[in-house]
Amino acid sequence: MGYFANGFEGEAYQLRYCKRCVHDLNSDCPVLLLHYMHNYDECDKKDSFLHVLIPRSKDGLTNEQCKMFISKL
């Protein structure tokens, strides 16, 4: 699941993906909101729905592109 260690990391992800996505109409991406709301509860659950939406990189150091991402362009 997408894990953001701090506000800067979350904001950088938003700029890279959410702001360019059709699902982020008013800076209210539902996927990112779910991650912010359930991050600590779900991060250690291997079967968490959050792992599907924003997967971690294979090395576990970064977040991959959201599976719901559709470019506005």
Side-chain angles (χ1 to χ4, degrees):
M1 68 173 269
Y3 178 79
F4 305 101
N6 54 50
F8 177 78
E9 193 175 329
E11 195 170 311
Y13 189 88
Q14 272 186 296
L15 289 173
R16 185 171 184 188
Y17 295 112
C18 304
K19 298 288 185 191
R20 299 178 29 237
C21 181
V22 298
H23 298 113
D24 190 42
L25 301 174
N26 297 305
S27 296
D28 61 351
C29 171
V31 173
L32 194 60
L33 179 60
L34 281 172
H35 276 76
Y36 286 156
M37 290 173 54
H38 301 287
N39 203 337
Y40 292 108
D41 297 332
E42 296 290 322
C43 68
D44 293 326
K45 296 179 183 176
K46 293 191 185 294
D47 61 343
S48 173
F49 62 95
L50 296 179
H51 293 298
V52 175
L53 297 171
I54 300 179
R56 297 289 288 164
S57 61
K58 290 183 182 184
D59 62 11
L61 299 176
T62 60
N63 299 305
E64 298 289 331
Q65 177 178 298
C66 175
K67 296 296 184 181
M68 298 296 291
F69 178 77
I70 299 173
S71 179
K72 290 179 185 177
L73 301 176

